[in-house]
Amino acid sequence: MQLAWVLPLTCSQEEYSQGKKEKIEQVRRRSIRNGRQVYAENVLWGVEGLEEEPRNLLEELVWAKEREIEVRRQRMPLALMKSRLEKSDVGPTRNLDAIFSERASGESALFFRYQRCSPEDTESAPTLAAVAAEKNDAKAIVVNAESRHFYGNYEDIRRVHETVACPVICHDIFVYPWQLYDARFHRADACVLITKVLGLKDTIYFAKATSLLGMAPIIEVHDVPEIESLLDAKQRQRDDGQVRFLLFAKRDLNSLVPSLDDTTALLSRFAQDAKHLGIRLMIELPRERAPNAALLQELGEHGADAVLASAMRDDRPL
Ligand SMILES: O=C(O)c1ccccc1NCC(=O)[C@H](O)[C@H](O)COP(=O)(O)O
C-alpha cells in the first residue's frame, strides 16, 4: 500500500468561514504549541497552577486524548506508523457508499454501535457485532474506540471487522492524523471526525487524510452553524470533495448523549440541500429510542440516509 506524505489544501480558514453569520463554537484543543505544556520523552514540562479546568466532558476528553497521543507518538513516530501500515496486510476497505446505493427507497439504513460495558469487557465485541449484523440486518457497525470515558480499544475494531462483512466505523476523538493510521491499521473502513473538536479547516484536512488512507470520512455535526459551514464549504467546492457523510448528533457536551430534539426540523431544513450536493446524512439515536421500522421509515422520509442505534450492549436481537 502506497501512502501520501503531503496533504495539500486549497484554501485558508478565512476563506472557509467567509460570509458565515455564526462561527463554529469549537471546544478548546489543548496544544503543546501554545506554551501550556510540553512533553519531552516521558517528562511533562509546564507552569504549575496556570492550567484551566476543562469546561465540559468533551473538552476533558479532547485534552486527555492530546496527552495520550503525544506520548504514543514519541514511542511510535508517524514515519513508523506509515511503514507499519504499508507493510501490513489490511486489505481493501469496505465501501460505505454501496450501502446507500443498494438501499430500498424511503427507509434509512440501520447502523449499530458497539460499546464496551466495562474496561474488562474484552470478549463481547465479536458476538454482539455478529448478532447486530445478522439478526438486525445492520449495514455498518460503529465501534466506540474512545478509551478514557467509554473503555474503548482499537483491537475491538479489528475483532468486529473479522466477525462481520459490513463496513466498520471507528468513533474516537481524532486530534492528530497519526490516529488515522492507527485506525486503518486496525481495519477501520471509516472514521468519525468531530467538527466541534477540529473546527472547519482541520475537519476538512483530517477528512482528506482519512480518504487518502482509503477510509470514508464521516463528519459529526452538533448544531446549525457546523452544518451550514460544511454545506457552504461543499457548495463553494472548498472541501476538496471531502464532505460526503454527515452524522447529526446534537450532544449534551457533559454527557455526550445525543438528543433527537430538533432532528426532524434540521432534516427539513438541510436534507434537500445535502442531497443536492451528494451528501449522505446519518442520525445518531439516543439510547432510549429503539430503531424500529416505523422510526427508520419516518427519519428516512425526512431525508436521513442512515440511523445509528446506540443499543448494542447485550446479545438480544431487537
Ligand atoms: O461524543 C463524542 O464526542 C464521542 C467521541 C468518541 C467516541 C464516541 C463519542 N460519542 C458516542 C457516545 O457518546 C455514546 O456512544 C453514545 O452517546 C451512546 O451512549 P450510551 O447512551 O451509553 O449508549
Side-chain angles (χ1 to χ4, degrees), residues 243-256:
V243 180
R244 298 195 289 127
F245 303 101
L246 293 186
L247 172 64
F248 284 12
K250 182 185 168 193
R251 292 188 198 283
D252 174 323
L253 296 186
N254 276 311
S255 67
L256 299 183

Side-chain angles (χ1 to χ4, degrees), residues 14-118:
E14 291 70 46
E15 283 176 276
Y16 282 120
S17 50
Q18 200 179 21
K20 292 274 100 236
K21 283 184 232 97
E22 282 186 81
K23 262 184 69 188
I24 288 177
E25 235 181 78
Q26 205 180 329
V27 297
R28 295 173 301 169
R29 277 163 71 185
R30 173 185 287 193
S31 164
I32 56 164
R33 274 165 255 98
N34 66 10
R36 289 199 204 120
Q37 60 172 16
V38 173
Y39 279 96
E41 296 295 339
N42 56 352
V43 180
L44 174 63
W45 300 86
V47 182
E48 211 179 324
L50 283 186
E51 197 54 71
E52 280 181 69
E53 291 299 309
R55 285 189 289 226
N56 51 51
L57 176 60
L58 182 58
E59 206 162 77
E60 181 190 325
L61 297 182
V62 169
W63 291 8
K65 184 60 74 179
E66 176 145 10
R67 287 194 295 268
E68 176 202 326
I69 302 302
E70 191 54 36
V71 170
R72 293 181 61 202
R73 278 199 330 170
Q74 300 266 350
R75 294 197 199 118
M76 172 91 81
L78 189 61
L80 269 185
M81 292 294 279
K82 288 179 175 178
S83 82
R84 179 178 77 153
L85 181 55
E86 275 167 348
K87 287 179 194 147
S88 71
D89 57 349
V90 289
T93 42
R94 298 173 186 165
N95 186 356
L96 211 62
D97 289 285
I99 296 169
F100 303 108
S101 41
E102 287 159 12
R103 190 168 61 92
S105 61
E107 211 177 72
S108 308
L110 180 60
F111 291 5
F112 264 107
R113 177 190 305 288
Y114 169 70
Q115 189 163 299
R116 287 182 180 221
C117 304
S118 71

Side-chain angles (χ1 to χ4, degrees), residues 58 113 115 144 150 194 251 256 258 284 287 310 313:
L58 182 58
R113 177 190 305 288
Q115 189 163 299
N144 189 341
F150 295 109
I194 305 173
R251 292 188 198 283
L256 299 183
E284 183 171 327
R287 162 185 285 280
S310 181
R313 283 276 178 85

Side-chain angles (χ1 to χ4, degrees), residues 178-242:
W178 185 97
Q179 296 165 271
L180 297 169
Y181 289 81
D182 205 18
R184 183 68 198 110
F185 180 74
H186 288 90
R187 311 291 189 271
D189 299 302
C191 291
V192 178
L193 308 169
I194 305 173
T195 309
K196 195 153 291 305
V197 172
L198 292 169
L200 183 62
K201 188 179 175 192
D202 278 3
T203 294
I204 291 175
Y205 175 84
F206 275 61
K208 185 153 183 136
T210 306
S211 298
L212 284 170
L213 290 172
M215 300 182 288
I218 299 178
I219 301 177
E220 178 176 310
V221 283
H222 290 199
D223 52 38
V224 168
E226 293 176 15
I227 300 169
E228 278 185 337
S229 302
L230 284 155
L231 292 185
D232 183 62
K234 179 81 177 176
Q235 188 137 36
R236 296 195 299 126
Q237 298 180 342
R238 297 295 191 189
D239 70 324
D240 278 348
Q242 300 306 322

